[in-house]
Amino acid sequence: MDYFFFILSVICVWTILSLAANLVIGYGGMMTLGHAGYLAIGAYTAATLNILYHMNFYYTIPIAMMVTAVVALLTILPLLRLDAFYLGLATLGLNIVITDVLQNIGPRAAGAEGLFGLKLPALMTAGGGRLAVIAVLTAIALYLTWRLVRSPFGRSLRAMRDEPEAIESVGKSARRYRLIIWTISGALAGLAGALYCTTLSYIDPTVFSFLFSFNVLVYIGFGGLASIAGSI
């Protein structure tokens, strides 16, 4: 039964990460091959605060989201001048850079190359309780994203994806929309990373291979671009 709970928990994590990538690819019209790097930042932030600084794991989740959102914003700023193909290649390189940096100077437990010993709240120590928390947060992420893409912002985002010149002509900045949606996507990837580390007994950069980013492309490509149900 614990294995069943584990599988469902991992499905929820990858649903959130697929949702994050679908926001920028399907709704924003940008290409990403590097969201596994943001997943790593979220996981490392939550695990570091919990293991090395003894912070309650629940508090680490919003911090991981904020840290990853800031990193996502800072890393996309110099890349926005690239077209879709080269942006995708640049984000793939970004994924590799993030994992290499974590490999060389990332936080680690004594005597290890990574982190272990996550101290979870009582509810999350059992597989069923952990799944319940992850599933609730996944449902909240899905609902808020659903509201976002159906809001005036979401409609403008799709207009920017299809006709960026047209949206610029009515005084709206396509660059601003791209920055906002990429940052939101980074926050969701950070949430996925924080939840992903609860399913692992040991965390190191090799867990977040750039091949994961290709998996995400398969998930949303098979499920459907610009589709929340497709991400699931």
Side-chain angles (χ1 to χ4, degrees):
M1 186 57 72
D2 278 346
Y3 180 71
F4 180 71
F5 291 148
F6 166 77
I7 292 297
L8 290 178
S9 297
V10 172
I11 288 173
C12 288
V13 169
W14 287 105
T15 294
I16 297 173
L17 188 63
S18 299
L19 187 65
N22 214 344
L23 279 178
V24 296
I25 299 176
Y27 291 97
M30 296 181 285
M31 187 60 182
T32 176
L33 294 171
H35 264 55
Y38 298 145
L39 180 78
I41 292 172
Y44 259 83
T45 300
T48 300
L49 292 173
N50 179 263
I51 296 170
L52 301 184
Y53 296 98
H54 313 293
M55 181 180 290
N56 185 298
F57 184 77
Y58 291 137
Y59 299 151
T60 70
I61 295 175
I63 296 175
M65 294 178 66
M66 289 187 289
V67 169
T68 312
V70 170
V71 172
L73 175 61
L74 294 177
T75 51
I76 194 58
L77 279 171
L79 304 181
L80 278 182
R81 293 184 179 181
L82 302 176
D83 63 23
F85 176 76
Y86 293 106
L87 176 62
L89 288 181
T91 57
L92 176 61
L94 178 64
N95 192 161
I96 297 172
V97 168
I98 289 173
T99 53
D100 280 353
V101 169
L102 291 174
Q103 183 75 54
N104 287 284
I105 62 174
R108 57 193 66 191
E113 291 296 319
L115 294 167
F116 63 89
L118 203 66
K119 303 171 183 66
L120 294 175
L123 178 60
M124 299 186 72
T125 54
R130 187 181 311 118
L131 172 61
V133 172
I134 293 175
V136 167
L137 291 175
T138 302
I140 293 172
L142 288 168
Y143 174 72
L144 293 178
T145 304
W146 178 79
R147 291 292 301 270
L148 175 70
V149 299
R150 281 160 177 77
S151 68
F153 174 84
R155 291 191 290 272
S156 296
L157 187 67
R158 290 191 291 275
M160 181 273 297
R161 173 198 65 194
D162 297 333
E163 295 291 343
E165 293 81 6
I167 200 170
E168 292 276 2
S169 70
V170 296
K172 295 185 178 182
S173 170
R175 175 184 172 85
R176 176 174 172 269
Y177 279 100
R178 292 188 178 106
L179 288 174
I180 291 173
I181 200 61
W182 195 279
T183 303
I184 293 172
S185 176
L188 283 174
L191 171 63
L195 298 178
Y196 190 42
C197 72
T198 67
T199 68
L200 305 172
S201 58
Y202 179 74
I203 304 167
D204 74 6
T206 61
V207 174
F208 307 98
S209 164
F210 66 87
L211 294 177
F212 280 7
S213 294
F214 288 102
N215 291 346
V216 172
L217 287 184
V218 173
Y219 301 155
I220 62 178
F222 181 81
L225 294 176
S227 168
I228 294 177
S231 299
I232 300 171

